[in-house]
Amino acid sequence: MTLSLVFEQILNGLQSGIMLFLMAAGLTLIFGVMGLINLAHGSLYMVGAFCAAAMAGWTGSFALGLVAALAGAAAAGALIELVVIRRLYARDHLDQVLATFALILIFSEGTRWVFGSFPLYLDVPEALSGPVSLPGGISYPLYRLAIIGVGLAVAAGLFWLIGQTRVGVRIRAGENDREMIAALGVDIDRLYTFVFALGAALAGLAGALVGAIQSVQVGMGEPVLILAFVVIVIGGIGSIKGALVGALLVGLTETLGSVFLPVFFKLFMAPAAATQAGASLSSMAIYILMAGVLVWKPSGLFGSRG
Amino acid sequence: MGGVMRRELWVNAALWLGLICVPLWAHWAGEPFTITLATRAVIFAVAAVGLNIALGLGGLVSLGHAAFFGIGGYAMGILAFHAQNYQPLFEWPFVFEGSQSMPLIWVVAFAVSGLCAFVIGLLALRTSGVYFIMITLAFGQMFYFFSISWAAYGGEDGMLIYVRNGFPGLNTLDPIQFYGLCFAVLSAALLVQARLARSPFGLALNAARQVPERVRAVGLDPVRLRLLAFTLSGAITGLAGALFADLNRFVSPSMFSWQLSGEFIVFIIIGGTARLFGPVVGAMVFVGLEHLLGGLSEYWHVWFGALLLGIVLFGQGGVIGMIAGKARAHD
């Protein structure tokens, strides 16, 4: 157990946390502005990854793959908003859950139909492959470091968009009082489609970036979706800041827990039992974290509504 | 209103008789596969009846009921696993060898999943609405990952139980006799739900769903009512899990999968929310479609998804609503 290992795991936790943020930010925006719970957000993550893998495989360019992921996921998001989601805003949560569950079935099996059941692989671009030396003699994969950078940049851009721009003003106004901003002449339908497509693009970007580390396959989105829900419960619904803090907490807890809990148990248990106990406890760590937040602050760390 | 109610009663009676006659016919005609399909549908129906107590009566959209289904399954798996391997489950305060007896397994499955539902409910009911959906989904996933990491009971591979568990006086290996058991459990669950809906508790729960303020004003605590409903709901779904494990003689983490939680809700919606036989119809339609469409196309989930989307967007009231008329007067 060296300090460099600890540092490396902290970076891994940051990396998975920042990717979770891209998912959770879209979900929380969509809920905050439109009051919609979207289970199909994981499908948009998957769409992004598949678009990137297909485009990168075809052209050989990772950058074009990322463009395809953003465009493909945003287009898929805008399409389902116009055709399906729009009819759900006035419905109760049960109908929203069911309709977006149906969308998952359609997206997942549709993708399997087009691409087959075997996973696709998206290669890390040449320029970003290999390790990089960090101060203190730590060697860390350059690509993962780059994703942390991209994620932080997108997070900053999102805060700027929501906080400083005219669109952001409308989005925040839409969260507070949709009738009023419609009365003030804002085209609320277009705003909703925009917010949904924006959330979809963020999910698609995350899917493509993570797709180069893991494999690109059907069903890859739902585990991330559920983690993003945990993030939102911890951070508080509708809060971008909450999504960021929650995502980093979940990413770090999950990564550090799976590495260090078995080590911790070995201090006072037999190795085999310690490995088992560590694995079991670390599989539950983030849910225990969520339960703790629920007991302490039921509406989340930054939530205003219960 | 009276006419609609009576028509629903007739539809329910016809369905119940159908659930007796069709498998008996299949038994007589020598078609054991039809009996297995019917058993599968009946077990799913028990799970959905359980969920309907929380969802239909209590208005609690739980997207984590597969957790209780899986806990019931693992209760059966663990008891039978120890019995078949002759390794005592525990030796203190007395030696317990595990068990392959259904009545005991059912009691354990019911109690343990009810206990877990109580704890999850205690946490999740601190919130409501969309938070509740996300939290139940997350806790369901927690059990999924825990079962994968639990190497002592098969981890990712699950557990195979070689011989179906026994029931005093019956040969459970005979498909029609096992079906009869599952059907009896379903009938009991339906009876519980029907009695519950008319009991003071059920009426208070229904009121807590519609106007919690007034329920509070007469001195009842809506959260306690919901917690009780959620606990009972989880326990019944857990019982269904034990039956399902016995049908397949196999338990694995897939019993905890979140898709299954979604499908339980789908059963209720296809059949019609807050209808007594809604979950039964939904489970039958689902198992039927799974069999028919699954035979036509490998990608039947696409068509099923499209159908579900159509039902949610355009058809309210579910199948029972279509046959027996619009929603009941008090809704």
Side-chain angles (χ1 to χ4, degrees), chain A residues 91 98 222 237 276 294-295, chain B residues 126 131 149 258 269 312-313:
Chain A
R91 300 288 193 87
L98 281 159
E222 280 68 41
I237 281 183
Q276 174 61 53
L294 276 174
V295 170
Chain B
R126 294 174 68 84
Y131 270 107
S149 76
W258 70 271
I269 294 306
V312 177
L313 291 182

Side-chain angles (χ1 to χ4, degrees), chain A residues 161-162 165-172 191 194:
Chain A
L161 180 80
I162 306 281
T165 65
R166 201 164 177 79
V167 177
V169 171
R170 288 180 174 171
I171 290 175
R172 279 180 288 145
L191 182 70
F194 171 77

